[in-house]
Structures are given as structure tokens and as C-alpha cells.
């Protein structure tokens, strides 16, 4: 696995493709708040995302309260954003897509 | 379901029985940080706790990063701590117990 930091152009390109993700002011992480109908939907999303995270061996920082999940992604080993974050963000988008209205 | 706020004596009694939970300075919530061996153990704990939460219709506020899970419990409808929080805390202790060394 490579842990090469993405440059700003690559980050911007990926974020525009992903949609709804925000780059932190320090440029080191991306975050998004997912809203679902209820806790079951939210935790279903988390479970699917957790399986992807474990498969990629790249894990999120996330907070959940009822139907809301706040996600923050960064690659600690690289001190910033890498392809791993984009890959996990894409998996999360997929997991969220079939749970949203 | 009753949502009667616990008085301070009841809270203290329950916390001493639970072990490791901290009462917030404002007395309105309890919290605990659970540490596991890895993400799989941490998310396994969260899954078991989520099933209990849904069963009790009483949900936690929680944050996870890799092997760590920070939990905060309160009963919003009661504006403080109730038996629901204690019940969920006990279920979490049980879920954590067979995952810790």
C-alpha cells in the first residue's frame, strides 16, 4: 500500500466528484455529516462502512447520535490525505446512497 | 416507559456499581471511554450495544476511532439521567466484558 499524500489539485478533484465532503482548514482531513431516517439506518450505514474500513485497513473517526453520523477521514501515517481516504469516502457514499431518501 | 430523573444518590449508587463511568460536571450525563484491542473488537462492541440501544429505544452519543469508543449517555426527554441510561450502560458493560483482555 502506498501512503502518498495527495496534492491540493488531486484533493479538489476528488472532493468535487464525491460531493458533500469538506476539506479541513489545515488541509489534513475531510469530513462529512450523514443524516438518515433513524438509528437503524444510521447504524446500518456504519456497519457497511466498518466492513469497508476493515477490508481497506483504513479506519474513520466518527461520531454518531441517533440518525446522524459525523465522519472525519485522514491518513495518520502520511500526515494528511491519501488515496485511502478517497477510497473509504467512496465506499461510504455507496453505503449511504441506498439508505437515503 | 418512565422518564423519571434519577436523584444524585441514585446516580452515585449506580455509578459505583457500574465502574469506570464519569458523571458530567453539570450532572446531566455519564460517559466512559472503552478501549479494545483493535477496530474489529471496538466495532463488535458497538454493534452489540447498538442492538441493545434499539431494543430499549434509547440511544448513545458515541465517538469511535480505531480501537477506542467514547460513550456519552443522557435522556434528552428528561433533561438528565434516568434508568434508561443505567440500563444501556449495563448492556454496554456486558458487551465490553467479553471483548476485553
Amino acid at each position: 500500500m502506498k501512503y502518498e499524500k495527495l496534492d491540493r489539485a488531486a484533493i479538489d478533484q476528488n472532493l468535487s466528484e464525491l460531493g458533500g465532503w469538506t476539506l479541513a482548514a489545515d488541509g489534513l482531513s475531510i469530513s462529512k455529516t450523514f443524516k438518515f431516517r433513524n438509528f437503524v439506518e444510521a447504524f446500518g450505514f456504519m456497519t457497511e462502512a466498518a466492513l469497508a474500513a476493515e477490508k481497506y485497513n483504513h479506519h474513520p473517526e466518527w461520531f454518531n447520535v441517533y440518525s446522524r453520523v459525523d465522519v472525519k477521514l485522514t491518513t495518520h501515517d502520511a500526515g494528511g490525505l491519501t488515496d485511502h481516504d478517497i477510497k473509504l469516502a467512496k465506499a461510504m457514499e455507496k453505503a449511504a446512497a441506498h439508505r437515503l431518501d
Side-chain angles (χ1 to χ4, degrees), chain A:
Chain A
M1 286 188 289
K2 70 181 173 72
Y3 284 107
E4 205 175 303
K5 270 178 83 165
L6 296 173
D7 64 22
R8 185 58 189 257
I11 292 171
D12 289 344
Q13 175 62 31
N14 278 298
L15 288 191
S16 71
E17 284 168 23
L18 278 166
W21 290 79
T22 306
L23 184 64
D26 60 13
L28 303 181
S29 63
I30 53 174
S31 58
K32 182 170 180 174
T33 292
F34 292 90
K35 278 285 291 171
F36 300 92
R37 277 178 293 258
N38 51 45
F39 179 72
V40 169
E41 297 289 318
F43 200 76
F45 160 76
M46 290 179 76
T47 303
E48 190 169 334
L51 296 176
E54 189 58 22
K55 188 174 179 181
Y56 300 157
N57 194 29
H58 187 65
H59 303 85
E61 297 180 27
W62 48 4
F63 171 83
N64 160 245
V65 56
Y66 197 59
S67 59
R68 193 180 104 218
V69 184
D70 299 334
V71 178
K72 183 178 162 186
L73 302 179
T74 187
T75 305
H76 290 289
D77 293 354
L81 289 162
T82 68
D83 283 336
H84 294 290
D85 300 301
I86 304 305
K87 207 164 135 184
L88 185 53
K90 283 180 181 168
M92 286 182 161
E93 287 298 318
K94 202 175 153 193
H98 59 85
R99 286 189 178 83
L100 301 169
D101 290 319

